[in-house]
Amino acid sequence: MSEPQVNRHALAFIFITMLVDTIGLGIIIPVTPKLITELTGEGMSEAARWGGWLFFVFALMQFFCAPAIGNLSDRFGRRPVLILSLAMLGVDYLITALAPTIFWLFVGRFLSGIAGAAYPTANAYIADVSPPEKRAANFGLVGAAFGIGFVVGPAIGGLLGQYGARVPFYVSAGIAFANALYGFLVLKESLAPERRRKFELWRANPLGALVALRRFPAMLGLFGVIVLMRLAHDANPVIWTYYTMLKFNWSPIQVGYSLMVVGAMLAFVFSVVTRIVVPRIGEVRSIYLGLACGTVGFMGYAFASRGWVLYAWMAVWVLMGLAGPSLNAIMSKLVGPAEQGELQGALASLGSLTSVAAPPILSNLFGYFTSDAAPIYFPGAAFFAASLCLGFAALVFAWARRAPQPA
């Protein structure tokens, strides 16, 4: 079987699909704290804790479901799995828009967690149509879509939020349903029938997916790096909005603009910098560079004394984007064509397991260090913890490189 050829049209389709999906996600971020405070009648510190538990439910469901969905994509193809995932996200947004109590926000997060396999399925799709030497750059397309989506989405969300905290959720529901329809009409299948494998229940669960990959000794250490990177990364979606609103008194529009800027920077890193830097310095050095920049950037966020200072640290932090595609490329080379969906499902499950723990830890760090019970007032505690995680991740990666490679 010859190596897969890069299909530019297929990559364009998957890029647009993930871009539109991310715009829908970005729209709701600036207004979520306001909706939570409306439903609970509590302040920002407590709203952050509610937000952390909502993120926890999403991650828990993704942890249990991502391996099954990844294995289903190896059996039935990427296209149907991706389309169904996008449609379910639309249901989540619609439920949230209509929610009369905080309970219904948890119902929506429950469903969106099940549907949260869109990104790993997209990565498996990219692995299908990319030769090994192009995978790092092409994996960056998903990151670029994520970055550009966060340029457009939060800005729209901040503006729509002026008309009510629920309006952005209605718009996001419409976008998600339209995106599913787009995928149904134009997205082509990437996994040829001869490369599919039968669905095996023992591999389609979180532990089964990881056990199936244990024959690759280097995976153990690399999984540790993924855990630490995900734990650090989750400080942004879990804390950023609450942190900036509480410490700097930002409005939803200001939060939206900040996410727009960091999204533009991330898009540039994923779409341009990754394609220049990774081929020149290699995947290993790119991972070290990305982890170092993330460590410094998070530390800058933690101790920022003015709102504008966050923008300066963004320029450093976004270079963390070099690490993810490079690490994903290294890991994808350790498995065969028929196991790419399983690998991406296992990685998503591992990341989601981390995100099960991350929201309660990070939101409670924020809540505690902004409460009267804290020995010091330190809203940046979660970002400080994220910085430490990335520093340790670099040490774990150095250890993982010494593990024996498969023959």
Side-chain angles (χ1 to χ4, degrees):
M1 182 77 59
S2 61
E3 292 293 335
Q5 300 298 311
V6 176
N7 186 322
R8 293 187 182 277
H9 292 293
L11 292 176
F13 288 154
I14 206 70
F15 174 81
I16 293 171
T17 298
M18 302 318 299
L19 171 63
V20 176
D21 181 57
T22 306
I23 290 173
L25 174 64
I27 285 174
I28 70 173
I29 290 179
V31 296
T32 298
K34 184 178 178 181
L35 180 59
I36 293 174
T37 57
E38 285 182 4
L39 291 175
T40 64
E42 297 174 341
M44 194 59 66
S45 291
E46 288 303 314
R49 287 177 168 151
W50 279 112
W53 287 114
L54 286 168
F55 206 101
F56 167 86
V57 170
F58 170 84
L60 184 66
M61 294 312 301
Q62 193 175 57
F63 169 67
F64 284 118
C65 296
I69 293 175
N71 277 266
L72 285 171
S73 78
D74 282 341
R75 172 64 182 88
F76 298 104
R78 319 301 184 200
R79 181 177 178 272
V81 170
L82 189 57
I83 292 171
L84 289 174
S85 296
L86 294 172
M88 194 172 289
L89 285 176
V91 175
D92 161 45
Y93 294 141
L94 193 58
I95 288 175
T96 304
L98 297 169
T101 65
I102 191 73
F103 167 78
W104 287 100
L105 297 190
F106 282 95
V107 173
R109 290 287 85 188
F110 178 89
L111 294 176
S112 64
I114 296 174
Y119 286 101
T121 305
N123 279 334
Y125 190 107
I126 290 171
D128 292 338
V129 300
S130 305
E133 67 274 10
K134 295 287 187 180
R135 283 180 186 164
N138 290 337
F139 280 136
L141 286 175
V142 175
F146 192 86
I148 295 173
F150 267 86
V151 173
V152 180
I156 296 174
L159 293 172
L160 292 176
Q162 298 178 91
Y163 302 100
R166 297 174 187 268
V167 172
F169 290 93
Y170 285 114
V171 174
S172 293
I175 288 175
F177 288 130
N179 201 12
L181 179 61
Y182 165 80
F184 179 78
L185 294 175
V186 303
L187 192 63
K188 305 298 182 183
E189 182 54 62
S190 65
L191 187 64
E194 63 270 17
R195 286 190 167 181
R196 299 179 189 182
R197 60 175 178 81
K198 66 178 182 178
F199 182 85
E200 297 174 297
L201 187 61
W202 72 273
R203 301 173 78 170
N205 63 80
L207 294 180
L210 299 180
V211 169
L213 298 174
R214 67 183 177 181
R215 62 185 178 277
F216 304 103
M219 287 290 186
L220 179 62
L222 297 178
F223 282 166
V225 177
I226 292 288
V227 167
L228 291 166
M229 286 179 60
R230 182 62 175 264
L231 182 61
H233 173 270
D234 282 355
N236 280 333
V238 172
I239 296 299
W240 181 268
T241 304
Y242 304 94
Y243 175 72
T244 54
M245 285 183 170
L246 182 65
K247 186 172 182 179
F248 304 116
N249 199 31
W250 281 7
S251 66
I253 292 180
Q254 289 174 300
V255 173
Y257 286 154
S258 71
L259 294 173
M260 180 179 69
V261 171
V262 75
M265 292 181 178
L266 278 172
F268 181 75
V269 169
F270 283 123
S271 61
V272 177
V273 177
T274 299
R275 292 175 178 269
I276 295 174
V277 173
V278 176
R280 292 190 178 182
I281 69 174
E283 291 159 353
V284 171
R285 289 190 178 91
S286 294
I287 291 171
Y288 282 125
L289 178 59
L291 292 175
C293 290
T295 300
V296 174
F298 272 128
M299 195 67 71
Y301 290 166
F303 291 99
S305 58
R306 297 287 188 275
W308 66 265
V309 176
L310 294 176
Y311 286 92
W313 287 114
M314 285 177 191
V316 178
W317 179 84
V318 293
L319 292 175
M320 177 184 168
L322 292 170
S326 299
L327 186 59
N328 211 339
I330 288 174
M331 298 183 76
S332 72
K333 294 173 185 176
L334 298 176
V335 301
E339 298 169 311
Q340 293 296 329
E342 183 179 28
L343 170 63
Q344 299 302 331
L347 293 179
S349 181
L350 191 66
S352 297
L353 177 61
T354 307
S355 290
V356 169
I361 293 172
L362 297 171
S363 62
N364 278 285
L365 271 176
F366 175 80
Y368 176 72
F369 280 99
T370 55
S371 71
D372 295 335
I376 59 171
Y377 181 77
F378 185 29
F383 292 129
F384 181 79
S387 179
L388 296 180
C389 285
L390 290 182
F392 187 52
L395 297 178
V396 174
F397 180 65
W399 170 79
R401 290 187 61 211
R402 296 196 295 268
Q405 300 295 313

